[in-house]
Amino acid sequence: QVQLVESGGGLVQAGGSLRLSCAASSGSIFSSAVMGWYRRAPGKQRELVATFTSGGSTNYADSVKGRFTISRNIAKNTVYLQMNSLKPEDTAVYYCNAFVGSRGVSYDYWGQGTQVTVSS
């Protein structure tokens, strides 16, 4: 089973920036999986923030477009989420996800989450 470990969360003032990292135990997962960042805000369901496919395409939630950037470093088995112009509404636990599908079978891996708190 692939292990994902998030880091980089913390407390930041509105308008500030944070960079989240997700390190994977597999050396090849980033070349075959769809990587994503999700978040769960207090009292809300988990939502998709951004994805990065093995082909290099990206997708962002409307709420973070223009502010967040997802990227990856395959050599380091790490995916990043650069968060700029943070708002209190961005406060949530952020989760790293890796989705792999092959031969009709899918695998969905999750990290433990990292807390991001944005103060006004």
Side-chain angles (χ1 to χ4, degrees), residues 39 41-42 44 47 67 86-92 94 118:
R39 68 185 182 186
K44 299 182 179 180
E47 65 173 341
R67 300 189 297 119
L86 284 163
K87 306 174 181 179
E89 306 92 271
D90 296 318
T91 296
Y94 284 71
V118 184

PDB file of all heavy atoms in Angstrom, residues 39 41-42 44 47 67 86-92 94 118:
ATOM      1  N   ARG A  39      -9.786  19.053   0.642  1.00  0.00           N
ATOM      2  CA  ARG A  39      -9.843  19.689   1.946  1.00  0.00           C
ATOM      3  C   ARG A  39     -11.212  19.496   2.572  1.00  0.00           C
ATOM      4  O   ARG A  39     -12.212  19.318   1.890  1.00  0.00           O
ATOM      5  CB  ARG A  39      -9.513  21.184   1.855  1.00  0.00           C
ATOM      6  CG  ARG A  39     -10.551  22.024   1.119  1.00  0.00           C
ATOM      7  CD  ARG A  39     -10.064  23.454   0.977  1.00  0.00           C
ATOM      8  NE  ARG A  39     -11.045  24.302   0.315  1.00  0.00           N
ATOM      9  CZ  ARG A  39     -10.824  25.567  -0.032  1.00  0.00           C
ATOM     10  NH1 ARG A  39      -9.643  26.128   0.225  1.00  0.00           N
ATOM     11  NH2 ARG A  39     -11.781  26.273  -0.635  1.00  0.00           N
ATOM     12  N   ALA A  41     -13.400  21.484   5.411  1.00  0.00           N
ATOM     13  CA  ALA A  41     -13.578  22.615   6.314  1.00  0.00           C
ATOM     14  C   ALA A  41     -14.510  22.216   7.447  1.00  0.00           C
ATOM     15  O   ALA A  41     -15.287  21.266   7.323  1.00  0.00           O
ATOM     16  CB  ALA A  41     -14.138  23.809   5.551  1.00  0.00           C
ATOM     17  N   PRO A  42     -14.452  22.933   8.561  1.00  0.00           N
ATOM     18  CA  PRO A  42     -15.321  22.612   9.693  1.00  0.00           C
ATOM     19  C   PRO A  42     -16.793  22.599   9.297  1.00  0.00           C
ATOM     20  O   PRO A  42     -17.290  23.555   8.697  1.00  0.00           O
ATOM     21  CB  PRO A  42     -15.033  23.735  10.691  1.00  0.00           C
ATOM     22  CG  PRO A  42     -13.637  24.157  10.371  1.00  0.00           C
ATOM     23  CD  PRO A  42     -13.537  24.047   8.875  1.00  0.00           C
ATOM     24  N   LYS A  44     -18.251  20.926   7.023  1.00  0.00           N
ATOM     25  CA  LYS A  44     -18.502  20.737   5.604  1.00  0.00           C
ATOM     26  C   LYS A  44     -17.940  19.411   5.111  1.00  0.00           C
ATOM     27  O   LYS A  44     -17.103  18.794   5.761  1.00  0.00           O
ATOM     28  CB  LYS A  44     -17.895  21.880   4.792  1.00  0.00           C
ATOM     29  CG  LYS A  44     -18.455  23.257   5.112  1.00  0.00           C
ATOM     30  CD  LYS A  44     -17.826  24.322   4.234  1.00  0.00           C
ATOM     31  CE  LYS A  44     -18.393  25.693   4.527  1.00  0.00           C
ATOM     32  NZ  LYS A  44     -17.765  26.733   3.672  1.00  0.00           N
ATOM     33  N   GLU A  47     -13.947  18.389  -0.108  1.00  0.00           N
ATOM     34  CA  GLU A  47     -14.076  18.884  -1.464  1.00  0.00           C
ATOM     35  C   GLU A  47     -12.745  18.821  -2.196  1.00  0.00           C
ATOM     36  O   GLU A  47     -11.670  18.918  -1.593  1.00  0.00           O
ATOM     37  CB  GLU A  47     -14.601  20.322  -1.476  1.00  0.00           C
ATOM     38  CG  GLU A  47     -13.652  21.339  -0.857  1.00  0.00           C
ATOM     39  CD  GLU A  47     -14.122  22.773  -1.025  1.00  0.00           C
ATOM     40  OE1 GLU A  47     -14.964  23.035  -1.908  1.00  0.00           O
ATOM     41  OE2 GLU A  47     -13.637  23.640  -0.268  1.00  0.00           O
ATOM     42  N   ARG A  67      -5.306  31.434  -7.237  1.00  0.00           N
ATOM     43  CA  ARG A  67      -4.636  31.577  -5.949  1.00  0.00           C
ATOM     44  C   ARG A  67      -3.772  30.374  -5.589  1.00  0.00           C
ATOM     45  O   ARG A  67      -2.715  30.535  -4.979  1.00  0.00           O
ATOM     46  CB  ARG A  67      -5.656  31.807  -4.838  1.00  0.00           C
ATOM     47  CG  ARG A  67      -6.513  33.058  -5.023  1.00  0.00           C
ATOM     48  CD  ARG A  67      -7.340  33.352  -3.782  1.00  0.00           C
ATOM     49  NE  ARG A  67      -8.295  32.276  -3.496  1.00  0.00           N
ATOM     50  CZ  ARG A  67      -8.297  31.548  -2.380  1.00  0.00           C
ATOM     51  NH1 ARG A  67      -7.401  31.790  -1.426  1.00  0.00           N
ATOM     52  NH2 ARG A  67      -9.205  30.598  -2.194  1.00  0.00           N
ATOM     53  N   LEU A  86      -4.348  33.692   0.816  1.00  0.00           N
ATOM     54  CA  LEU A  86      -5.219  32.847   1.620  1.00  0.00           C
ATOM     55  C   LEU A  86      -6.324  33.647   2.294  1.00  0.00           C
ATOM     56  O   LEU A  86      -6.127  34.792   2.702  1.00  0.00           O
ATOM     57  CB  LEU A  86      -4.403  32.091   2.657  1.00  0.00           C
ATOM     58  CG  LEU A  86      -3.613  30.905   2.102  1.00  0.00           C
ATOM     59  CD1 LEU A  86      -2.530  30.481   3.078  1.00  0.00           C
ATOM     60  CD2 LEU A  86      -4.558  29.744   1.807  1.00  0.00           C
ATOM     61  N   LYS A  87      -7.471  33.014   2.392  1.00  0.00           N
ATOM     62  CA  LYS A  87      -8.647  33.598   3.005  1.00  0.00           C
ATOM     63  C   LYS A  87      -9.086  32.750   4.187  1.00  0.00           C
ATOM     64  O   LYS A  87      -8.790  31.558   4.237  1.00  0.00           O
ATOM     65  CB  LYS A  87      -9.797  33.669   1.997  1.00  0.00           C
ATOM     66  CG  LYS A  87      -9.470  34.383   0.698  1.00  0.00           C
ATOM     67  CD  LYS A  87     -10.627  34.277  -0.285  1.00  0.00           C
ATOM     68  CE  LYS A  87     -10.313  34.958  -1.592  1.00  0.00           C
ATOM     69  NZ  LYS A  87     -11.437  34.825  -2.566  1.00  0.00           N
ATOM     70  N   PRO A  88      -9.801  33.333   5.134  1.00  0.00           N
ATOM     71  CA  PRO A  88     -10.319  32.529   6.243  1.00  0.00           C
ATOM     72  C   PRO A  88     -11.146  31.332   5.775  1.00  0.00           C
ATOM     73  O   PRO A  88     -11.147  30.292   6.440  1.00  0.00           O
ATOM     74  CB  PRO A  88     -11.176  33.526   7.026  1.00  0.00           C
ATOM     75  CG  PRO A  88     -10.522  34.843   6.767  1.00  0.00           C
ATOM     76  CD  PRO A  88     -10.072  34.767   5.327  1.00  0.00           C
ATOM     77  N   GLU A  89     -11.813  31.467   4.639  1.00  0.00           N
ATOM     78  CA  GLU A  89     -12.610  30.382   4.088  1.00  0.00           C
ATOM     79  C   GLU A  89     -11.768  29.187   3.659  1.00  0.00           C
ATOM     80  O   GLU A  89     -12.308  28.104   3.429  1.00  0.00           O
ATOM     81  CB  GLU A  89     -13.429  30.864   2.879  1.00  0.00           C
ATOM     82  CG  GLU A  89     -14.291  32.077   3.154  1.00  0.00           C
ATOM     83  CD  GLU A  89     -13.577  33.376   2.831  1.00  0.00           C
ATOM     84  OE1 GLU A  89     -12.887  33.911   3.736  1.00  0.00           O
ATOM     85  OE2 GLU A  89     -13.704  33.860   1.690  1.00  0.00           O
ATOM     86  N   ASP A  90     -10.462  29.377   3.535  1.00  0.00           N
ATOM     87  CA  ASP A  90      -9.570  28.289   3.166  1.00  0.00           C
ATOM     88  C   ASP A  90      -9.204  27.410   4.354  1.00  0.00           C
ATOM     89  O   ASP A  90      -8.540  26.388   4.184  1.00  0.00           O
ATOM     90  CB  ASP A  90      -8.285  28.828   2.536  1.00  0.00           C
ATOM     91  CG  ASP A  90      -8.536  29.554   1.227  1.00  0.00           C
ATOM     92  OD1 ASP A  90      -9.347  29.062   0.415  1.00  0.00           O
ATOM     93  OD2 ASP A  90      -7.913  30.617   1.012  1.00  0.00           O
ATOM     94  N   THR A  91      -9.596  27.817   5.535  1.00  0.00           N
ATOM     95  CA  THR A  91      -9.304  27.037   6.731  1.00  0.00           C
ATOM     96  C   THR A  91      -9.919  25.649   6.617  1.00  0.00           C
ATOM     97  O   THR A  91     -11.124  25.507   6.409  1.00  0.00           O
ATOM     98  CB  THR A  91      -9.836  27.737   7.983  1.00  0.00           C
ATOM     99  OG1 THR A  91      -9.146  28.974   8.166  1.00  0.00           O
ATOM    100  CG2 THR A  91      -9.640  26.867   9.213  1.00  0.00           C
ATOM    101  N   ALA A  92      -9.085  24.630   6.741  1.00  0.00           N
ATOM    102  CA  ALA A  92      -9.540  23.262   6.578  1.00  0.00           C
ATOM    103  C   ALA A  92      -8.386  22.306   6.842  1.00  0.00           C
ATOM    104  O   ALA A  92      -7.232  22.724   6.954  1.00  0.00           O
ATOM    105  CB  ALA A  92     -10.080  23.030   5.158  1.00  0.00           C
ATOM    106  N   TYR A  94      -6.270  19.668   4.990  1.00  0.00           N
ATOM    107  CA  TYR A  94      -5.955  19.377   3.596  1.00  0.00           C
ATOM    108  C   TYR A  94      -5.374  17.977   3.475  1.00  0.00           C
ATOM    109  O   TYR A  94      -4.479  17.593   4.232  1.00  0.00           O
ATOM    110  CB  TYR A  94      -4.965  20.406   3.048  1.00  0.00           C
ATOM    111  CG  TYR A  94      -5.617  21.738   2.747  1.00  0.00           C
ATOM    112  CD1 TYR A  94      -6.039  22.569   3.778  1.00  0.00           C
ATOM    113  CD2 TYR A  94      -5.827  22.149   1.433  1.00  0.00           C
ATOM    114  CE1 TYR A  94      -6.659  23.774   3.508  1.00  0.00           C
ATOM    115  CE2 TYR A  94      -6.442  23.355   1.160  1.00  0.00           C
ATOM    116  CZ  TYR A  94      -6.857  24.167   2.197  1.00  0.00           C
ATOM    117  OH  TYR A  94      -7.473  25.372   1.921  1.00  0.00           O
ATOM    118  N   VAL A 118      -6.424  29.928   8.617  1.00  0.00           N
ATOM    119  CA  VAL A 118      -6.211  31.280   8.129  1.00  0.00           C
ATOM    120  C   VAL A 118      -6.990  32.243   9.009  1.00  0.00           C
ATOM    121  O   VAL A 118      -8.218  32.166   9.095  1.00  0.00           O
ATOM    122  CB  VAL A 118      -6.648  31.441   6.671  1.00  0.00           C
ATOM    123  CG1 VAL A 118      -6.319  32.849   6.169  1.00  0.00           C
ATOM    124  CG2 VAL A 118      -5.972  30.391   5.795  1.00  0.00           C
TER     125      VAL A 118
END
